Amino acid sequence: MQRSDFSEDFVWGTATAAYQIEGAVQEDGRGPSIWDTFSRKPGAVLGGDTGDIADDHYHRFREDVALMADLGVNAYRFSIAWTRVQPTGSGPANQAGIDFYRRLADTLGEHGITPWATLYHWDLPQTLEDTGGWLRRDTALRFAEYAGIAVDRLGDAVSDWITLNEPWCSAFLGYASGHHAPGRHEGSRSLHAAHHLLLGHGHAMTAIRAARPDANAGITLNLYSVRPASGTAEDVDAARRIDGLSNRLFLDPVLRGQYPQDVLNDAGEADWFAENATAEDLALISAPIDFLGINYYSRHTVAAGSAATDASAYPGSESAVMIDTGAPRTQMGWEIHPHGMLDVLEMAHERAPELPLYITENGSAYEDEVSENGNVDDPDRLDYLRAHIDACRQAIERGLPLAGYFVWSLMDNFEWAWGYHRRFGIVHVDYDTQVRTPKASGMWFSRFLGGRIGRRSREGVDETVEVA
Ligand code: IFM
């Protein structure tokens, strides 16, 4: 597999998110988000870690952009912190916040890297959570106001926009299982949050189009390849439920303008949706997008269980359990199944055959070790990336309209409830010194792309892994 197996205009990027890398949480007027609050709750984040400093990217973004240029990527997906733009979630723009993202976009431009900005990567302004968060319909309107401001003020420097990142996580980890901010346990009411998030996406698309009719805009969903553990009716039904909550609850309204009725019934929310998810809402949610972003990491093999285990992120389907198939897993416990990437691309493609698709995240966490000579040899991550990029190649060969691939993540960062105890970067970060060191996987990616780090490693400097 080589880069030349892909078209010249294929987008090759790395991805990050504001709270995970920026730090500087109290600088230049930034207001508090739900992650500032949640990470301070005892026991919420492993080791009591917070994003206060993270990768200090706010001050080191120039170095990080130069690193990306050396890697050889042609795109960078980052997120804008809502509370840098609107410190309390409404009202006029905070100029200093806008200025930071302009500096970032301009620096990317100087290096020939296209900025891809995500408007919401989970950092809701705390003020909005205090008045109900995503359980409140009005939050969707607040989000659209912020989206309009961001695109109006930055749209001359950024053309590619993603409204939401992984609304499944915001709704179900945030409002059902409570593993993520704001850490609430609202059971099936979390589906209301899902609807308001999607409504926020719909209103935001309208605001984006009004601010910049030529913007390239879409949404990013985290999709899973889901299959039953056996052919029994119980396991098949359990898989239907998990596929419903993970995939169809988001894909169907965005691409087909309707919610999957079976999912609403399972959760006991059919009446609420009949009353509150109006035809106008669904028309907004399904208004044309320019592309769909898909974050793909893993496959779920699902069986019917008897007890509710840790499945409360699946309201109404708590008894469905993910089983361990014995296949290799990453440090997150996520099964490695590159072929599943084709499954999720197919899922989107069958609903919207003309829509360009992007893998906006794909990557893996492993226990990396820095060797005595300072190298980080991460053969498992390298294999993971290579296999998934090869799955991209196969998808294109199959005729799927895949137009780009972003590695999660550029560099190690704050992995939410896992704090700094899980590393996804292709670049290692020493959190004491903030030194960045490309891992063997990063060198491989750079070599694959024809980047400078790849050339250096080919000459023998820093070479730690033989690539077939
Ligand atoms: O770190 C996250 C990212 O913020 C969203 N997608 C999954 C990644 C790995 O868990």
Side-chain angles (χ1 to χ4, degrees), residues 227-230 234-236 238-239 242 301-306 319-323:
R227 61 169 190 163
S230 79
E234 291 78 8
D235 287 355
V236 170
I242 297 303
T301 302
V302 188
S306 50
S319 63
V321 290
M322 321 285 183
I323 64 155

Side-chain angles (χ1 to χ4, degrees), residues 80 84-86 91-103 105-106 119 145-158 161 207-208 210-212:
I80 294 181
R84 288 200 193 280
V85 174
Q86 286 184 308
N94 169 37
Q95 188 58 44
I98 297 284
D99 288 346
F100 169 67
Y101 294 107
R102 175 165 295 282
R103 287 196 295 275
D106 287 349
L119 288 158
E145 182 188 69
Y146 147 66
I149 293 173
V151 176
D152 180 48
R153 304 290 285 273
L154 293 164
D156 57 330
V158 180
W161 294 92
I208 293 170
R212 287 270 158 183

Side-chain angles (χ1 to χ4, degrees), residues 17 20 121-122 165-166 169 295 297 332 334 361 408 413-416 424:
Q20 295 182 270
H121 199 122
W122 307 353
N165 178 69
E166 303 183 354
C169 297
N295 293 353
Y297 287 90
M332 298 297 278
W334 299 346
E361 282 182 30
W408 185 270
N413 56 50
F414 177 82
E415 178 51 28
W416 308 113
F424 274 88

Side-chain angles (χ1 to χ4, degrees), residues 225-229 235 239 299-303 325 335:
S225 173
V226 180
R227 61 169 190 163
D235 287 355
R299 167 171 79 173
H300 293 326
T301 302
V302 188
T325 60
E335 183 184 307

